[in-house]
Amino acid sequence: MSRVELRGLAKSFGPVQAVKDVTLEIPDHAFVTLLGPSGCGKTTTLNMLAGLEKVTRGEILVDGQTITDWAPHERGMAMVFQNYALYPHMDVYGNIAFALKLQKVPKADIDRRVRRVASALEVEKLLQRRISQLSGGQQQRVALARAMVKEPKVFLFDEPLSNLDAALRTRMRIEIKRLHQQLRATSVFVTHDQEEAMILSDYIAVMRDGEVVQYGRADEVYRKPNHIYVGTFIGKPRMSIMEGRLTVDGQTGGMVFSADGVRIAWAGVPGRPAKAMEVEVSLGIRAEDVKILAAGADGDGTMTGEVNLLEPLGSDTYVELANGKVSITARTEPDRGIGLGDKVVVQLARPKLHIFDGKTGARIEP
């Protein structure tokens, strides 16, 4: 497989700039996801990589060689589309073999390669069926087989699971991850589903308005978001945000976050003298970093709230708590015995909380 680089990639459609200065390095064998909402430029970026859209500005390199102006068939890439783009007038065998026939691969080699990938994806019994006779999951497997049979340098996926129901989507995620680990392929995957991105990816590029807001290992993007947008986009349930102030403690000289009914001591912020630090900030809190305490507990980092929503999910229950204008979500065990309207005390795990600048949204390192 291959190392892929995007250098200052940009795409404009008339006056509309769909992609702005995207720079990424995709390591050999890595599974990288372009993640973001509709209209953020992720599919346009993938199409430029595939050669389906002309680049307005910037470079695309594979293993150090510039391929920006190469035709799609010259790039050694295979793409799996959102709608699968299978040929309905052909059977499964014909769909998988089609690209190899265009390349004038010998008939015996075509048959060997088609049957090998069909076996790997468990569609060998479907080779004589028409596409219209297949279920959505079977069509997805055929689309994957058609990409695999080309033995490409890079696999490209454009939201290939979005048309599947929830159960089948979960199974196909596992299938794609298994195939990636088996083939050790360099893969670029586009999705708006952050859960899908976390499950599949080695690296995630979070996009907004045509730009990459953060790019890094999947666990790093989750645990250390560099912007409030990333923090609230990644994670399920959504990261809770508490508006407050970061000020100086007159007695200790250290930093304190304060909001309605909440006070949390912080050691300080590198590069910013404590006495000069007094800013509006947003505190980001993930549900797993909120611990429900016994009634009457108190202290630094605690908050009392009223339960206004319960979301039981079997193994876990998400509890939404409100205290005036402040609202946060906690994750707890399902047999905790908490009911709507109950008053509960929670402890916020200070080392795992996130502070973002109230004006710019950028992460502030505690």
Side-chain angles (χ1 to χ4, degrees):
M1 292 300 142
S2 301
R3 186 182 79 259
V4 178
E5 296 174 76
L6 309 181
R7 295 181 181 175
L9 210 60
K11 176 64 180 179
S12 296
F13 296 97
V16 178
Q17 195 168 5
V19 176
K20 311 166 189 173
D21 194 30
V22 168
T23 297
L24 297 174
E25 184 169 329
I26 299 169
D28 191 12
H29 306 309
F31 194 111
V32 172
T33 294
L34 306 182
L35 174 67
S38 297
C40 72
K42 56 188 186 295
T43 293
T44 302
T45 301
L46 191 77
N47 286 341
M48 286 191 286
L49 180 54
L52 303 179
E53 290 283 1
K54 189 174 180 180
V55 173
T56 301
R57 187 177 64 255
E59 276 189 294
I60 301 170
L61 296 91
V62 175
D63 289 333
Q65 184 174 17
T66 300
I67 65 163
T68 313
D69 298 320
W70 289 18
H73 68 273
E74 297 174 326
R75 300 186 178 211
M77 300 181 184
M79 192 161 181
V80 180
F81 294 90
Q82 182 177 359
N83 63 357
Y84 314 143
L86 300 173
Y87 301 112
H89 62 286
M90 296 182 183
D91 58 15
V92 170
Y93 187 102
N95 269 273
I96 298 174
F98 184 73
L100 300 183
K101 291 178 180 177
L102 288 181
Q103 296 170 11
K104 302 190 184 305
V105 175
K107 192 172 182 178
D109 288 345
I110 291 176
D111 190 67
R112 175 181 54 80
R113 287 164 65 172
V114 168
R115 294 187 184 282
R116 186 180 70 236
V117 299
S119 175
L121 286 163
E122 299 178 357
V123 295
E124 68 271 29
K125 294 181 180 179
L126 308 175
L127 289 175
Q128 305 310 315
R129 288 195 191 178
R130 295 282 180 174
I131 299 303
S132 60
Q133 298 174 309
L134 305 181
S135 68
Q138 290 169 337
Q139 290 185 35
Q140 178 65 79
R141 288 173 185 268
V142 174
L144 288 171
R146 188 176 62 181
M148 283 177 58
V149 80
K150 298 178 184 179
E151 299 176 356
K153 295 179 180 178
V154 181
F155 284 96
L156 307 176
F157 300 88
D158 184 14
E159 303 210 47
L161 309 182
S162 61
N163 293 330
L164 305 179
D165 62 57
L168 184 54
R169 188 168 185 158
T170 299
R171 291 202 298 274
M172 289 309 301
R173 285 176 190 162
I174 295 169
E175 189 68 34
I176 288 174
K177 186 155 190 168
R178 182 184 67 80
L179 283 171
H180 173 71
Q181 292 169 342
Q182 176 184 327
L183 299 172
R184 295 208 21 98
T186 303
S187 302
V188 183
F189 190 95
V190 161
T191 185
H192 62 274
D193 187 323
Q194 52 83 25
E195 184 177 356
E196 200 162 271
M198 290 296 299
I199 289 169
L200 291 170
S201 308
D202 299 314
Y203 298 86
I204 296 176
V206 183
M207 297 186 67
R208 180 180 63 174
D209 298 332
E211 299 178 297
V212 174
V213 183
Q214 183 170 358
Y215 179 55
R217 298 200 66 87
D219 58 345
E220 173 191 337
V221 173
Y222 179 80
R223 298 187 185 283
K224 205 169 182 179
N226 67 1
H227 194 277
I228 193 170
Y229 168 77
V230 177
T232 53
F233 195 85
I234 297 269
K236 206 172 187 180
R238 190 175 186 269
M239 175 186 280
S240 301
I241 299 296
M242 189 183 299
E243 306 298 339
R245 291 184 66 79
L246 203 57
T247 57
V248 180
D249 187 310
Q251 294 181 338
T252 66
M255 304 308 303
V256 174
F257 171 84
S258 56
D260 291 344
V262 181
R263 182 186 184 281
I264 305 173
W266 295 84
V269 178
R272 302 195 187 192
K275 60 184 178 181
M277 190 74 175
E278 188 166 341
V279 294
E280 300 288 337
V281 296
S282 300
L283 185 70
I285 310 153
R286 296 211 182 273
E288 63 267 29
D289 299 326
V290 182
K291 182 180 180 182
I292 297 179
L293 304 177
D298 196 10
D300 185 63
T302 61
M303 167 186 159
T304 300
E306 180 178 327
V307 178
N308 61 14
L309 184 66
L310 292 169
E311 294 184 69
L313 297 176
S315 59
D316 295 300
T317 294
Y318 291 114
V319 183
E320 186 179 291
L321 309 166
N323 182 342
K325 295 180 180 179
V326 174
S327 177
I328 65 171
T329 300
R331 186 176 73 184
T332 188
E333 56 272 19
D335 56 354
R336 190 65 186 250
I338 296 172
L340 288 174
D342 289 354
K343 298 278 188 178
V344 298
V345 180
V346 296
Q347 174 80 52
L348 309 181
R350 191 197 67 77
K352 296 183 179 180
L353 304 182
H354 312 269
I355 292 184
F356 305 101
D357 188 288
K359 293 182 179 178
T360 67
R363 181 185 184 86
I364 297 175
E365 292 291 349

